[in-house]
């Protein structure tokens, strides 16, 4: 069952940028693409734990700032030829407000 | 909209490469139909020699399988040559009677082997060397007959002869001229080649003029002028190729030696394009694969209605595909008037290298026995590099250029599979070769993606490129004559910089639009580069794009492996006082900095700070008078100084004072890459000024200015730019040099490779000899410094870019309801 919680206004996340969201379990990275889609991933690269929220966002991917791994924002899959996956969480935007599904977060915690 | 119809005549390498390039650009624009005369799908014609020699099988050289055509929605007709084009009706007609309409027609009919029209040339057993069928004929002959004659001692003839010999035949090569491969080799190299081939078992008849092929039904021998004869059960004619322009000619298209095309690969009928060996472009015809691929790229661009891209001709190089013989040739290899030659000859080792030089640029190269540096010479030749600074050692090869970092390791072919190629990512030669062969990699980018080799610091790029060349072979080793900035664009760094200036592009979306970027918002390679180019071109006007900067420049600190940041306050010229040190100590206490280190550039580095702490750390530092040290950016970093004459008993000048002035002039400047300066007070050079981007060595009579040094991956000692007499001149020359670098270098190109690329003479001309130009450069530098010298730390300490440093919080997590 979903449990949507308002996190922030869309405008608080820079276009082609990200914000770090601190939770009691771990940090989450909220990304905003060039077409104003918002995605949420755990803020930890599967390679060496780099903070993905600090990477450069391009298309619907983010490049980790530590060693340039590319991660697909839609599903958290590492783009080939590297391999790995980072947890992704359900997000939606309604009337300029970003909502996160706590249920998807808690199932990962 | 109904799709347009594109017909390709000629199912070979040039035509199919054009389609592949087109599908990358516009996969859905055309209904595509391909007609081929041969019964096979597209195969790699240049690999026929290895097939003949038994080193490869036919199915290994197929480039596009039948399934590939199906997957891409392309209709393929093999074994049915097109025999007529009706340009009025826009239709083609094939041998089997099939008629098809076209909107665009692409001719890639290739070439035919030239058969000398001597009596007997139509006898059974007289063939050319062009396609799979010829190879099959040769292989069948080799199993039944003994003696073969190959007419033609050029590239193709020798490869055919070698292949037949490998299949057990006794082979005689007949050549009209007095030396082999005379269009690619000079006499000494040709003599070495002949000796080596004779040793392996080939026979040669030089200066032999073929008069007739003798025999009844099947060939029995070859007769020469003067009456002598040799026996032959098979005669291969390999005396050259002729563009196959019969179809174009009969359709009324303008043809001379080939189908004449313009720089967009268009024939005289604007609906009809032509590529490959059948075309004549700017009076040249080409029979090698690299030019065909360059043509394909341009042609596809125009078929996709993009309308840019010009083919301006190719410079070609040749390698002989005979196992055990290393041979390379490019450009003009015979000395012309006003040329000079450099020769290295070691007959005992079977090594011969010759470079033809004109005005300190390479015009041509011939190499035998040791061809390791062929691609390097070829690159220097195509780029017109001024070789004067390394002319005395150029014949010893690229590895001999003073690079303390790698030395002999560049001889990549001799390395064992366990040898480490990429030190950053720990990738060995064997890993790279395996990835290239098993994954079918063709480009440097692909090798980087799959193995990570050369994907970090990039210092092993040359090694990886040579591995790629030696593993994949000639056809794909051809590096494009210009390199695109990244895979988002077809344009090079220089073209993009020129477009930004000439078309007055002042925002990133404007660049994307005008230069037809392939991605909506670029990638982590091009966005930082474009951000810098725009900033450098339009100082004060361009709005910096934080999201196009790497995190260090966005957060104005160095990200460390645990995600914390380090902070380096600027200390002009490395000078500081007790109050400043006390303020740094107070910051370290207040924020519990776990580690403090003195840097190589004479600064203090505070480690382990959390991003959220940065603005308040910066506020405390700003209150004590510090500005950002830019230790994190592609920017002016530090001016390192020695003690100087105020204290040092050897000092000739106030090097610390001059260092402070230089740093006050240059701090805050964004650069193509990091930029370091140093000032030494005497030739003992304690500030190590001769490995800096810009170094000053004070002497009694003035100041020596040094440029292009580097102490990093590849140590490079500076070049002496000039000597000046006053501090005022030092500042002016420094500013002018920096501005020239800022305006013209490629993003992520340090001054060391930049100076090597454009040559020291060029920099001297711009900065030393052209006084008005120098003053103008210096003026532009000062102008661009006005908006740049605003302390980014103080701005952020006062609240700017707050979202960057403040995390969002999800305070309580309720139990799932």
């Amino acid at each position: 069952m979903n449990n949507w919680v308002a996190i922030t206004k869309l405008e608080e996340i820079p276009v082609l940028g990200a914000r770090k969201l601190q939770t009691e379990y771990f940090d989450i990275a909220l990304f905003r693409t060039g077409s104003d889609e918002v995605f949420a991933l755990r803020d930890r690269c599967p390679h060496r734990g780099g903070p993905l929220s600090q990477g450069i966002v391009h298309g619907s991917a983010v490049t980790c700032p530590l060693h340039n791994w590319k991660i697909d924002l839609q599903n958290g899959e590492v783009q080939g030829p590297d391999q790995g996956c980072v947890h992704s969480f359900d997000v939606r935007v309604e009337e300029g407000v970003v909502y996160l599904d706590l249920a998807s977060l808690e199932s990962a915690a | 909209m109904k799709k347009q119809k594109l017909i390709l005549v000629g199912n070979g390498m040039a035509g199919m490469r054009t389609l592949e390039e087109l599908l990358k650009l516009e996969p859905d624009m055309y209904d595509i139909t391909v007609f081929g005369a041969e019964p096979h799908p597209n195969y790699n014609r240049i690999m026929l020699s290895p097939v003949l020699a038994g080193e490869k099988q036919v199915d290994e050289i197929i480039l596009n399988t039948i399934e590939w055509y199906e997957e891409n929605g392309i209709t393929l007709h093999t074994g049915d040559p097109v025999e007529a084009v009706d340009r009025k009706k826009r239709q083609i007609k094939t041998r089997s009677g099939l008629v098809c309409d076209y909107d665009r027609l692409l001719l890639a009919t290739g070439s035919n082997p030239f058969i000398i029209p001597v009596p007997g040339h139509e006898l059974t057993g007289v063939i050319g060397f062009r396609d799979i069928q010829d190879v099959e004929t040769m292989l069948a002959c080799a199993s039944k007959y003994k003696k073969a004659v190959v007419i033609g001692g050029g590239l193709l003839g020798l490869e055919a002869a070698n292949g037949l010999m490998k299949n057990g035949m006794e082979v005689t090569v007949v050549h009209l001229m007095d030396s082999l491969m005379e269009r690619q080799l000079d006499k000494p190299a040709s003599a070495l080649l002949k000796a080596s081939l004779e040793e392996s078992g080939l026979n040669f008849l030089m200066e032999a003029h073929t008069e007739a092929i003798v025999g009844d039904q099947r060939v029995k021998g070859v007769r020469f002028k003067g009456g002598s004869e040799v026996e032959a059960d098979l005669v291969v004619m390999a005396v050259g190729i002729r563009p196959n322009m019969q179809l174009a000619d009969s359709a009324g298209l303008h043809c001379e030696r080939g189908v004449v095309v313009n720089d967009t690969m268009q024939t005289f009928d604007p609906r009809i394009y032509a590529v490959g060996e059948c075309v004549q472009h700017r009076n040249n015809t080409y029979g090698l694969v690299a030019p065909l691929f360059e043509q394909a790229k341009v042609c596809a661009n125009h078929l996709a209605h993009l309308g840019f891209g010009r083919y301006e001709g190719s410079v070609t190089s040749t390698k002989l595909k005979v196992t055990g013989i290393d041979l390379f040739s490019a450009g003009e290899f015979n000395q012309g008037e006003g040329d000079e030659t450099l020769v290295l000859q070691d007959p005992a080792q079977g090594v011969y290298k010759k470079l033809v030089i004109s005005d300190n640029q390479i015009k041509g190269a011939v190499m035998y026995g040791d061809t390791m540096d062929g691609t390097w010479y070829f690159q220097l030749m195509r780029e017109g590099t001024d070789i004067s600074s390394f002319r005395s050692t150029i014949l010893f090869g690229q590895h001999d250029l003073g690079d303390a970092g790698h030395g002999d390791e560049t001889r990549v072919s001799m390395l064992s599979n366990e040898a480490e190629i990429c030190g950053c990512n720990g990738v060995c030669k064997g890993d790279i070769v395996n990835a290239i062969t098993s994954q079918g990699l063709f480009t440097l980018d692909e090798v980087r993606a799959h193995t990570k080799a050369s994907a970090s610091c990039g210092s092993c790029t040359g090694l990886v490129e040579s591995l790629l060349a030696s593993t994949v072979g000639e056809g794909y080793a051809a590096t494009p004559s210009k390199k695109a900035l990244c895979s988002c664009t077809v344009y090079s760094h220089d073209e993009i910089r020129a477009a930004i200036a000439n078309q007055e592009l002042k925002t990133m979306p404007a660049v994307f639009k005008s230069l037809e970027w392939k991605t909506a918002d670029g990638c982590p390679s091009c966005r930082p580069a474009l951000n810098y180019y725009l900033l450098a071109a339009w100082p004060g006007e361009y709005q910096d794009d934080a999201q196009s900067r790497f995190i260090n420049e966005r957060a104005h600190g160095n990200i460390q492996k645990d995600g914390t940041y380090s902070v380096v306050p600027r200390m002009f010229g490395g000078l500081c006082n007790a109050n400043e040190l006390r303020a740094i100590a107070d910051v370290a206490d207040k924020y519990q900095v776990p580690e403090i280190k003195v840097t190589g550039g004479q600064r203090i580095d505070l480690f382990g700070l959390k991003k959220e702490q940065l603005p308040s750390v910066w506020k405390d530092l700003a209150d004590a008078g510090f500005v950002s040290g830019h230790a994190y950016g592609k920017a002016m970093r530090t001016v390192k100084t020695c003690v100087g004459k105020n204290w040092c008993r050897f000092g000739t000048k106030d090097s610390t004072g001059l260092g402070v002035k230089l740093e006050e002039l240059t701090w805050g400047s964004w650069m193509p890459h990091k930029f370091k300066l140093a000032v030494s007070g005497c030739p003992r050079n304690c500030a190590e000024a001769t490995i800096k981007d810009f170094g000053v060595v004070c002497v009694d009579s003035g100041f020596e200015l040094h440029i292009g040094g580097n102490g990093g991956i590849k140590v490079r000692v500076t070049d002496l730019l000039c000597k000046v007499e006053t501090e005022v001149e030092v500042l002016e020359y420094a500013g002018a040099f920096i501005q020239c670098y800022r305006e013209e270098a490629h993003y992520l190109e340090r001054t060391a490779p930049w100076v090597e690329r454009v040559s020291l003479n060029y920099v001297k001309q711009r900065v030393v000899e052209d006084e008005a130009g120098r003053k103008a450069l210096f003026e532009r530098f000062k102008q661009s410094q006005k908006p740049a010298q605003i302390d980014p730390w103080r701005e952020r300490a006062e609240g700017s870019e707050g979202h960057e440093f403040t995390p969002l919080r999800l305070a309580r997590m309720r139990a799932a309801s």
Side-chain angles (χ1 to χ4, degrees):
Chain A
M1 207 161 79
N2 295 339
N3 184 6
W4 296 103
V5 176
I7 302 295
T8 183
K9 288 184 189 158
L10 178 64
E11 66 198 42
E12 296 290 324
I13 310 174
V15 177
L16 291 175
R19 290 292 295 271
K20 181 167 88 172
L21 170 68
Q22 294 180 328
T23 76
E24 65 185 276
Y25 298 121
F26 42 69
D27 292 343
I28 289 175
L30 287 172
F31 301 93
R32 178 173 171 189
T33 68
S35 51
D36 278 347
E37 286 182 289
V38 175
F39 297 101
L41 300 180
R42 187 166 175 190
D43 194 14
R44 193 182 149 77
C45 181
H47 177 219
R48 299 272 174 88
L52 297 175
S53 57
Q54 312 298 299
I56 289 183
V57 178
H58 48 101
S60 60
V62 64
T63 295
C64 177
L66 294 196
H67 306 95
N68 289 327
W69 277 36
K70 283 191 178 55
I71 286 131
D72 192 328
L73 296 177
Q74 316 213 31
N75 50 20
E77 292 279 347
V78 174
Q79 293 183 353
D82 295 316
Q83 288 180 348
C85 188
V86 54
H87 228 104
S88 64
F89 307 102
D90 295 335
V91 199
R92 64 187 168 121
V93 183
E94 257 171 42
E95 291 171 4
V97 177
V98 180
Y99 295 86
L100 176 73
D101 181 12
L102 281 194
S104 69
L105 183 55
E106 279 157 358
S107 66
Chain B
M1 206 179 85
K2 200 164 158 265
K3 281 191 190 178
Q4 297 199 40
K5 293 192 177 70
L6 172 67
I7 291 180
L8 166 61
V9 182
N11 185 27
M13 297 178 78
M16 288 309 296
R17 177 57 82 103
T18 309
L19 291 190
E20 285 180 339
E21 296 282 352
L22 174 64
L23 291 174
K24 274 195 243 165
L25 297 170
E26 285 290 348
D28 301 316
M29 192 169 205
Y30 292 101
D31 265 330
I32 302 174
T33 308
V34 178
F35 290 91
E38 290 186 63
H40 309 280
N42 177 33
Y43 62 87
N44 188 344
R45 201 178 296 279
I46 55 178
M47 298 309 268
L48 284 176
S49 296
V51 171
L52 178 64
E55 290 158 4
K56 277 207 183 322
Q57 298 297 315
V58 169
D59 56 1
E60 287 179 80
I61 67 166
I62 299 292
L63 291 171
N64 302 90
T65 59
I66 298 288
E67 293 76 35
W68 183 90
Y69 291 85
E70 283 165 11
E71 282 160 17
N72 286 282
I74 295 173
T75 314
L76 173 65
H77 298 275
T78 54
D80 192 9
V82 173
E83 296 203 318
V85 177
D86 184 332
R87 295 200 285 132
K88 284 208 185 96
K89 291 188 187 160
R90 300 214 297 269
Q91 284 179 336
I92 58 101
K93 193 174 172 195
T94 70
R95 179 174 295 169
S96 70
L98 195 62
V99 174
C100 284
D101 298 327
Y102 67 82
D103 296 296
R104 290 274 186 284
L105 181 65
L106 175 59
L107 298 177
T109 45
S111 61
N112 293 322
F114 180 62
I115 302 290
I116 314 169
V118 288
H121 71 271
E122 282 159 336
L123 290 173
T124 307
V126 181
I127 59 169
F129 180 23
R130 173 69 193 165
D131 53 28
I132 288 181
Q133 199 192 333
D134 293 330
V135 172
E136 283 168 353
T137 307
M138 284 192 245
L139 291 175
C141 277
S143 64
K144 271 201 276 184
Y145 301 101
K146 194 73 195 149
K147 290 176 192 293
V149 167
V150 175
I151 303 181
L155 191 66
L156 204 60
L158 294 179
E159 290 183 3
N162 177 64
L164 291 169
M165 186 176 68
K166 286 268 169 69
N167 282 289
M169 294 191 89
E170 266 175 45
V171 185
T172 303
V173 176
V174 174
H175 197 46
L176 189 61
M177 313 300 284
D178 63 351
S179 67
L180 296 173
M181 287 181 72
E182 76 284 349
R183 286 175 63 188
Q184 286 91 19
L185 298 183
D186 65 351
K187 295 238 160 118
S190 179
L192 282 168
L193 172 66
K194 182 159 170 270
S196 165
L197 290 171
E198 275 171 341
E199 198 175 314
S200 72
L202 282 181
N203 305 307
F204 289 94
L205 282 175
M206 306 303 284
E207 296 180 82
H209 199 295
T210 305
E211 198 172 67
I213 315 283
V214 292
D216 306 324
Q217 278 239 297
R218 189 174 180 89
V219 56
K220 289 205 174 119
V222 179
R223 190 170 70 236
F224 303 102
K225 212 178 217 171
S228 64
E229 276 189 29
V230 290
E231 287 178 49
D233 307 307
L234 172 73
V235 173
V236 178
M237 295 248 201
V239 292
I241 54 171
R242 295 286 178 272
N244 180 4
M245 56 190 190
Q246 197 189 349
L247 179 68
D249 203 25
S250 68
L253 291 171
H254 180 59
C255 297
E256 290 172 11
R257 281 180 299 134
V259 185
V260 176
V261 294
N262 63 19
D263 285 0
T264 66
M265 306 315 293
Q266 210 169 27
T267 67
F268 275 58
D269 180 335
R271 289 187 175 272
I272 304 181
Y273 290 80
V275 291
E277 292 181 336
C278 66
V279 309
Q280 176 183 337
H281 170 266
R282 294 192 185 182
N283 245 343
N284 280 318
T285 59
Y286 294 100
L288 295 165
V289 75
L292 312 192
F293 286 176
E294 290 176 33
Q295 294 173 359
K297 208 163 185 147
V298 172
C299 186
N301 185 291
H302 289 276
L303 285 173
H305 293 193
L306 293 179
F308 59 92
R310 285 174 66 186
Y311 178 66
E312 299 178 37
S314 300
V315 184
T316 55
S317 67
T318 314
K319 278 182 183 167
L320 184 70
K321 286 180 293 301
V322 171
T323 311
I325 293 180
D326 289 325
L327 187 154
F328 179 89
S329 157
E332 295 290 326
F333 53 88
N334 280 319
Q335 184 172 359
E337 200 166 322
D339 296 341
E340 304 158 90
T341 55
L342 304 178
V343 178
L344 185 149
Q345 236 168 334
D346 183 349
Q349 300 276 335
V351 171
Y352 174 80
K353 294 191 200 182
K354 176 166 107 174
L355 297 176
V356 177
I357 315 273
S358 175
D359 286 336
N360 277 319
Q361 293 180 357
I362 297 181
K363 283 178 70 185
V366 179
M367 306 168 74
Y368 186 90
D370 176 4
T371 56
M372 189 60 207
D373 288 296
T375 42
W376 182 52
Y377 296 138
F378 190 48
Q379 190 190 349
L380 293 173
M381 180 174 113
R382 294 210 296 185
E383 292 174 359
T385 307
D386 183 329
I387 62 155
S388 50
S389 57
F390 50 100
R391 182 177 161 139
S392 55
T393 57
I394 190 169
L395 278 175
F396 302 117
Q398 188 172 22
H399 70 286
D400 206 67
L401 285 184
D403 71 353
H406 292 290
D408 275 335
E409 283 179 13
T410 47
R411 304 186 82 69
V412 66
S413 60
M414 297 178 191
L415 296 177
S416 72
N417 276 339
E418 290 75 37
E420 188 173 77
I421 300 286
C422 175
C424 292
N425 296 300
V427 190
C428 298
K429 177 181 167 184
D431 303 334
I432 299 174
V433 173
N434 280 343
I436 293 171
T437 46
S438 66
Q439 315 270 346
L441 310 181
F442 284 130
T443 67
L444 180 64
D445 281 343
E446 288 171 345
V447 176
R448 280 185 178 154
H450 281 265
T451 66
K452 290 285 173 280
S454 85
S456 295
C457 82
S459 66
C460 60
T461 301
L463 286 175
V464 177
E465 280 183 326
S466 352
L467 262 183
L468 192 61
S470 63
T471 311
V472 192
E474 179 197 10
Y476 300 91
T479 40
S481 50
K482 64 165 189 183
K483 281 187 183 158
L485 191 160
C486 67
S487 54
C488 299
T489 179
V490 296
Y491 294 110
S492 67
H493 285 267
D494 290 331
E495 289 169 324
I496 291 164
R497 295 204 83 161
I500 288 173
N502 300 337
Q503 302 177 33
E504 302 204 6
L505 306 175
K506 297 187 180 181
T507 65
M508 212 169 294
V511 175
F512 289 159
K513 185 158 182 289
S514 179
L515 299 182
E516 298 180 294
W517 234 247
K518 297 177 202 166
T519 48
D521 40 45
C523 73
S525 297
C526 59
R527 287 231 308 272
L530 291 180
N531 191 58
Y532 168 72
Y533 290 154
L534 288 161
L535 199 68
W538 311 110
E541 219 177 319
Y542 172 68
Q543 186 67 40
D544 197 289
D545 178 24
Q547 303 308 329
S548 293
R549 285 189 177 270
F550 181 63
I551 183 60
N552 285 359
E553 295 184 2
R554 205 180 332 137
H556 291 274
N558 269 325
I559 194 166
Q560 305 295 332
K561 59 186 271 188
D562 61 353
T564 65
Y565 290 81
S566 77
V567 166
V568 182
R570 190 169 290 284
M571 291 175 175
F572 288 83
L575 287 179
C576 61
N577 59 40
N579 279 335
E580 288 169 348
L581 288 176
R582 211 169 276 124
I584 290 177
D586 287 343
V587 165
D589 280 343
K590 180 171 169 186
Y591 298 94
Q592 298 178 317
V593 168
E595 189 161 295
I596 304 176
K597 187 185 178 307
V598 176
T599 73
Q602 303 182 330
R603 305 297 142 96
I604 291 175
D605 201 343
L606 307 171
F607 284 93
L609 290 157
K610 293 196 178 67
K611 198 178 180 192
E612 300 87 283
Q613 295 178 310
L614 293 177
S616 53
V617 168
W618 293 337
K619 180 179 182 306
D620 292 354
L621 290 170
D623 288 346
F626 287 108
V627 298
S628 165
H630 289 93
Y632 45 80
K634 309 301 176 205
M636 185 274 161
R637 291 284 182 89
T638 54
V639 182
K640 184 174 182 175
T641 63
C642 73
V643 178
K645 77 166 184 187
N646 289 354
W647 299 95
C648 177
R649 64 201 163 97
F650 300 114
T652 66
K653 296 273 189 303
D654 177 13
S655 49
T656 38
L658 179 57
V660 171
K661 285 177 195 163
L662 270 171
E663 190 150 354
E664 283 171 343
L665 173 73
T666 56
W667 78 273
S669 176
W670 295 109
M671 299 273 191
H673 208 305
K674 59 184 171 183
F675 192 100
K676 300 177 178 182
L677 299 88
V679 185
S680 283
C682 77
R684 286 168 192 77
N685 192 12
C686 295
E688 296 160 349
T690 47
I691 52 163
K692 297 294 183 243
D693 295 281
F694 187 87
V696 182
V697 176
C698 303
V699 290
D700 199 52
S701 57
F703 304 87
E704 290 175 7
L705 306 184
H706 296 260
I707 58 163
N710 195 330
I713 291 160
K714 186 168 160 180
V715 179
R716 182 181 193 273
V717 172
T718 46
D719 294 308
L720 178 62
L721 180 69
C722 62
K723 201 176 140 188
V724 296
E725 287 177 7
T726 65
E727 285 195 350
V728 173
E729 287 172 295
V730 174
L731 296 177
E732 179 177 311
Y733 281 68
F737 172 72
I738 289 173
Q739 188 63 12
C740 190
Y741 169 63
R742 293 183 78 237
E743 289 178 0
E744 298 179 15
H746 299 167
Y747 190 66
L748 297 187
E749 183 178 41
R750 288 290 299 267
T751 56
W754 175 65
V755 169
E756 284 183 4
R757 181 166 65 83
V758 301
S759 88
L760 176 62
N761 286 342
Y762 172 79
V763 179
K764 277 185 175 167
Q765 191 268 321
R766 293 291 307 272
V767 178
V768 182
E769 289 152 28
D770 177 3
E771 188 188 340
R774 173 177 69 245
K775 290 195 185 305
L777 279 169
F778 186 43
E779 194 49 44
R780 289 205 292 282
F781 180 64
K782 286 194 289 190
Q783 286 303 321
S784 69
Q785 281 297 79
K786 281 181 190 162
Q789 289 193 330
I790 295 168
D791 180 24
W793 284 2
R794 181 180 285 275
E795 283 188 297
R796 281 154 188 77
E798 288 168 356
S800 148
E801 307 276 325
H803 62 82
E804 183 72 47
F805 303 97
T806 323
L808 300 167
R809 287 201 169 78
L810 189 63
R812 289 176 299 118
M813 198 170 296
R814 286 160 294 174
S817 47

